[in-house]
Amino acid sequence: MSEHHFPRGFDSWQKTHFEVVEALCYLRDLQEGKQSKNFSQMLDRSATPDMYNMAIELTDKFENANMERSGSTLFDLIEEFVYRETRPTN
C-alpha cells in the first residue's frame, strides 16, 4: 500500500472523507427511489471496491482544491462537489 498524502492534515482529510461518503449515500438514496428493485437488491446496500476508491479519490480531489470553505456547512459544500463530480455528462 502506498503512503497517502494529506495536504490539509489527516483530521481534515478524515472529516472530508466522512462527509464524502455521507454525500454519496445521500445521492444514492435519492436515485434509488427512481429505480425499481427487487427485495434482495434493496437489502444489498453494501459498497463495492469501486465505490471505496471513488470516495477516496473524491476526498483527495476536494482536499486538494483551493475552495472557500466558509459560508456553508462542510456537508453542503461536499454534497454539491460530489454531485458535480458524479453526475453523468451528456
Side-chain angles (χ1 to χ4, degrees), residues 3 9-10 13-14 16 23 26 36 38 49 53 55 60 68 76 82:
E3 196 155 323
F10 178 75
W13 190 93
Q14 184 180 29
T16 298
Y26 173 71
S36 63
N38 65 34
N53 289 331
D60 289 345
E68 179 61 41
D76 289 340
V82 169

Side-chain angles (χ1 to χ4, degrees), residues 30-78:
L30 290 176
Q31 290 301 313
E32 279 184 345
K34 298 175 185 176
Q35 302 167 1
S36 63
K37 293 188 175 196
N38 65 34
F39 185 71
S40 63
Q41 288 172 317
M42 290 301 288
L43 288 177
D44 183 17
R45 298 178 53 88
S46 61
T48 64
D50 290 340
M51 288 292 287
Y52 295 139
N53 289 331
M54 181 192 312
I56 290 170
E57 289 169 12
L58 290 171
T59 300
D60 289 345
K61 190 169 186 177
F62 186 88
E63 283 288 291
N64 284 308
N66 290 320
M67 50 180 18
E68 179 61 41
R69 293 183 180 208
S70 62
S72 295
T73 66
L74 184 60
F75 180 78
D76 289 340
L77 292 171
I78 292 173

